[in-house]
Amino acid sequence: MDMKITRQTPLKCLLVDDNPDDRALASRALAREFPDMQTEFVTDMDGFKQRIEAGNLDLVITDYQLRWTDGLNVLRMIKEALPECPVVMFTGTGSEEIAVEAMRAGLDEYVLKAPGHYVLLPTRVHSLLARAEQRRLLEAAEKALRESESRLRTIIDTEPECVKIIGSDHRLQFMNASGLAMIEADSGEQVLGKKLLEILLPEYRLAFQNLTRSVLAGNKGSLEYEITGLKGHRRWLETHAVPLVSEMDGSTSLLSITRDITERKLAESGRAQLTAIINSAIDFIGICGQDGTVTFVNRAGRNMLGIDLNEDLSTTRMQDYLPAWAAEQLYSHGIPTAIQEGMWRGESALCPRDGKEIPVSAVIVAHKLADDSVDFFSTIMRDISERRHHEEQLQHLATHDSLTGLPNRALYSDRLEVAILEAQRNQRLVAAMHLNLDRFKTINDTLGHEMGNALLQAVAERLENNIREVDTIARLGSDEFALVFTDIAQLDEVSELTQEILHSFKKPFRIGEHELFLTASVGIAVYPLDDLTPDGLLKNAAIALNRSKDTGGNSYQFYTAEMNAKALQHLLLDNALHHALERDELQLYYQPQVDFQTGKVCGMEALLRWKHPELGMISPAEFIPLAEKTGLIVPIGEWVLRTACTQNKAWQMAGLPALPVAVNLSGRQFAQLNLAQTITRILTQTGLSPDLLELEITEGTLIQNIQDSIAILHELNSLGIAISIDDFGTGYSSLSYLKRFPINAIKIDQSFVRDIYTDPNDAAIVSAIIAMARSLGMKTIAEGVETNEQLSFLRSHQCDLMQGYYFSKPVTAEIISQMLSENWSLSFGEKAVVS
């Protein structure tokens, strides 16, 4: 389970991004981890300036590329206005110069602006907020420590009898018990906040005022004067005053030590009060002679050391209470520095009688005589065990995955580098492995995020139990793990170790009441065969992993040079796809849909094609997944909608029959926040009636978030647009959700139609789908109809519509125009194919 940040008020996040799709992705990723987070958006400079002036932000996430400025300018403005506010930057450039400049400007974290990296956002935000909170607590603790040490050091340095502090307004702010006794006050309430002039004899009041002004101006001073106590007794006092500058606000007060020179016994009482104060302190306070012999340890110090309050310590030395290394530090550096500079501060440790070291923050002061020789040393030591624990926690969080406790990517890279250095010295092999869980997203989406987290923890535990002690396993993010196999003599050992890992997945994972079966895909790169650097090995292992997943998963692949060539080809295709729209390389083909009752064309499906000027026609099976992965499917999908609507309107203007055109919506398109507005705008601009547009959506898309899907479908349906479920039967087919969706038609996937006449199972499935759709008042459309046997079966079972090569393959808009103008139809008993 990921560690949560608990707050009394909701986290406030400012998202600076003028791309609504990216804002939606970032917001959705944050909402899963921080459901109570309040996310605000700004899309221009005026709104941004107004929001940061208002302050009260816990987190800012900014895109690097903005229409109105750039991410570096946003970062600088935030750090100037809100220096403590963490900032995360999205960047799609990967430029090292930009990253360096951003880090110099105070950037706390960045995430690559790519679909696969949005899942990293919650983890990194979580880590940033945790670090900010720990930093705040640490600063508060250090501040309290400084103030406590300053006051205790002043008390010890001056050996006070009466200690008082007078503020810049000449009024008393503090007086210890000895001072109150001197002026015969029963309690501090009698004198605190008042001026002391009234108790001085008149002839000393002007001198006392001058002393106070001088000290508040930064000078030291002393004065002998006579007072009349609050109960009438007269006493002679001697006061020594110094300025006391607050570390908090820089204000100056007067700190004075006052001695009763009428009765020396009163001075002894003052020293007893000082001891009581020191004994009430929570820190270790000790005094030793110049030879190190202990003369005093306060109550807190004795408790820390496990020493009885009455035990005589006069025969012990300071080093007796320190570990050997701390004693060496004390005499080689601490004491010499204190003698030379008056004081030494640093981190040390005490060694109690139980032998368990206590880390401390220590201050040593050398108290000197008039001839500058050392009279004695005093020390204050504060237990910093809790602070050290927090520091260790922060260090662990910086190098380990918060969910599984495994090393993270940074620590994994370090260990891989160490393994490579060891392999160089010993002439051995090192294997870098990337492991990705098959079907994890399906499980996570179906059973929920918490169940997915529990499964990841179980996987991490099983992997740890199935590797050698010399090897390393890490979680890189989401469902991706990485391993380092060290001290390998032959490649066969890597295969054996990998097979053991994959074999461990044969046993199901039991998470709560669920028994889950899981497989994994693995990619392996070997040093020095595949690369000599950690980065190179990681890159090649990732390439091999992709190859393993392409083969269907539950397998492992070693990296080969051919894989790199294929990855390069994939990259080139990716780059070409970015320009396909602007270079007018995309085309729409149309496949007619035929009514089983009339045999006439009753609609058509728009199908995307890409004709590259050099590569020729590129299969949709190759470039559509690429467009989905890169996010280009959104602008491409909008082009398809606009082109199909424009063409349909053109057919009507040419006097051809008004028939509906079906357009496929991808998962990314369906998830757009402004989907209905975009479609409405296209219909308005093209002049196409909404009832002549049909949207095809896959089951997998609808099931991602059923409640959101229902709302979106109802919004589209209210516009008059028909909705059909594409590839029905290949996903999550269930009446429990199907009956809740405003669906007009179900498309029976061609995988069921293909063997419908020879496979009883497929025949039963298709019959059931048709019967179910009819009972729900939906039409059925059979895809991939190619034979007369298929046609006869579907028609006899009252399927409504069909499309496939039996009537026509997908063709250009010109051929559709000819088909409609000539009123082509299907005569049952004859095969009419458009070639």
Side-chain angles (χ1 to χ4, degrees), residues 591 605 607 609 621 725-730 746-757 759 762-763 765-766 769 781-787 790 794 802-806 808-810:
Q591 186 170 35
E605 179 181 2
L607 298 168
R609 297 292 184 265
I725 297 183
D726 197 14
D727 300 335
F728 187 80
T730 62
I746 292 175
K747 299 195 74 174
I748 304 172
D749 188 71
Q750 60 182 340
S751 63
F752 299 116
V753 174
R754 184 180 301 115
D755 300 321
I756 196 173
Y757 200 73
D759 189 332
D762 285 345
I765 291 173
V766 172
I769 292 175
I781 307 171
E783 295 182 294
V785 179
E786 298 180 357
T787 68
Q790 294 168 348
L794 292 166
M802 62 81 75
Q803 68 182 82
Y805 277 33
Y806 188 88
S808 171
K809 68 180 181 180

Side-chain angles (χ1 to χ4, degrees), residues 601-604 648-649 651-653 655-661 688-689 691-692 820:
V601 176
C602 59
M604 64 204 71
N648 198 351
K649 185 64 177 179
W651 282 326
Q652 295 177 51
M653 298 295 292
L656 298 176
L659 301 177
V661 61
L688 184 69
S689 175
D691 62 350
L692 294 179
L820 295 178

Side-chain angles (χ1 to χ4, degrees), residues 411-471:
L411 183 55
Y412 174 80
S413 298
D414 289 342
R415 292 189 179 177
L416 178 57
E417 186 172 2
V418 171
I420 290 174
L421 293 175
E422 288 289 333
Q424 287 175 343
R425 287 192 292 267
N426 302 322
Q427 295 186 338
R428 307 287 277 184
L429 303 178
V430 174
M433 172 197 288
H434 273 206
L435 182 149
N436 188 262
L437 303 178
D438 304 326
R439 293 181 57 253
F440 174 76
K441 185 178 185 302
T442 300
I443 295 174
N444 196 51
D445 292 342
T446 304
L447 300 180
H449 184 62
E450 291 187 3
M451 187 67 68
N453 282 345
L455 179 57
L456 289 173
Q457 291 170 331
V459 169
E461 181 179 357
R462 185 171 297 183
L463 289 174
E464 282 188 297
N465 293 334
N466 284 275
I467 63 172
R468 304 171 304 173
E469 291 186 2
V470 295
D471 298 329

Side-chain angles (χ1 to χ4, degrees), residues 494-700:
V494 180
S495 295
E496 292 174 2
L497 292 170
T498 305
Q499 288 171 7
E500 290 179 10
I501 293 293
L502 292 178
H503 182 75
S504 70
F505 281 85
K506 290 188 175 180
K507 181 180 179 181
F509 293 87
R510 187 168 296 279
I511 310 297
E513 299 178 353
H514 296 274
E515 187 176 63
L516 304 175
F517 290 87
L518 202 61
T519 58
S521 300
V522 175
I524 306 168
V526 179
Y527 167 89
L529 305 179
D530 300 325
D531 206 280
L532 301 178
T533 65
D535 289 343
L537 289 174
L538 291 174
K539 182 196 73 173
N540 292 339
I543 293 173
L545 172 63
N546 289 335
R547 177 58 180 163
S548 178
K549 293 186 76 67
D550 289 343
T551 61
N554 194 24
S555 64
Y556 67 95
Q557 293 284 333
F558 282 93
Y559 169 79
T560 64
E562 291 77 10
M563 291 180 184
N564 196 35
K566 186 173 182 179
L568 180 60
Q569 181 183 5
H570 189 275
L571 179 61
L572 293 175
L573 196 63
D574 183 6
N575 292 335
L577 186 58
H578 278 76
H579 301 290
L581 265 179
E582 61 187 64
R583 294 174 180 171
D584 200 26
E585 296 173 3
L586 299 180
Q587 302 175 5
L588 278 191
Y589 276 48
Y590 301 87
Q591 186 170 35
Q593 296 174 341
V594 178
D595 190 310
F596 270 117
Q597 296 298 320
T598 64
K600 294 183 178 181
V601 176
C602 59
M604 64 204 71
E605 179 181 2
L607 298 168
L608 182 62
R609 297 292 184 265
W610 179 16
K611 186 175 183 180
H612 191 277
E614 297 175 359
L615 303 177
M617 294 299 291
I618 300 174
S619 169
E622 188 172 1
F623 74 83
I624 292 295
L626 185 60
E628 284 274 9
K629 185 176 181 181
T630 60
L632 289 172
I633 195 66
V634 173
I636 290 175
E638 186 171 337
W639 177 87
V640 170
L641 269 169
R642 186 180 304 278
T643 303
C645 291
T646 300
Q647 181 62 63
N648 198 351
K649 185 64 177 179
W651 282 326
Q652 295 177 51
M653 298 295 292
L656 298 176
L659 301 177
V661 61
V663 177
N664 288 279
L665 279 187
S666 71
R668 278 177 174 262
Q669 286 178 280
F670 190 70
Q672 287 180 272
L673 294 178
N674 59 344
L675 176 62
Q677 293 88 331
T678 299
I679 295 176
T680 300
R681 183 176 68 252
I682 291 174
L683 290 172
T684 301
Q685 292 171 349
T686 60
L688 184 69
S689 175
D691 62 350
L692 294 179
L693 175 63
E694 181 177 327
L695 298 177
E696 295 187 1
I697 307 166
T698 65
E699 290 180 273

Side-chain angles (χ1 to χ4, degrees), residues 18-92:
D18 47 27
N19 188 314
D21 299 330
D22 292 340
R23 290 200 305 268
L25 288 173
S27 299
R28 189 172 294 113
L30 289 171
R32 286 194 294 267
E33 180 66 16
F34 305 96
D36 297 328
M37 176 179 285
Q38 297 178 357
T39 303
E40 305 176 38
F41 310 112
V42 293
T43 57
D44 57 50
M45 182 61 76
D46 289 339
F48 173 66
K49 288 181 178 180
Q50 292 175 5
R51 185 60 190 86
I52 63 173
E53 286 176 0
N56 193 23
L57 288 171
D58 300 296
L59 174 68
V60 176
I61 302 174
T62 179
D63 190 6
Y64 174 74
Q65 293 181 335
L66 301 166
R67 292 193 306 271
W68 41 277
T69 184
D70 62 63
L72 286 176
N73 189 32
V74 169
L75 172 62
R76 294 187 184 103
M77 293 174 69
I78 292 170
K79 287 301 181 181
E80 181 178 357
L82 304 168
E84 298 301 322
C85 181
V87 179
V88 179
M89 183 181 293
F90 277 124
T91 174

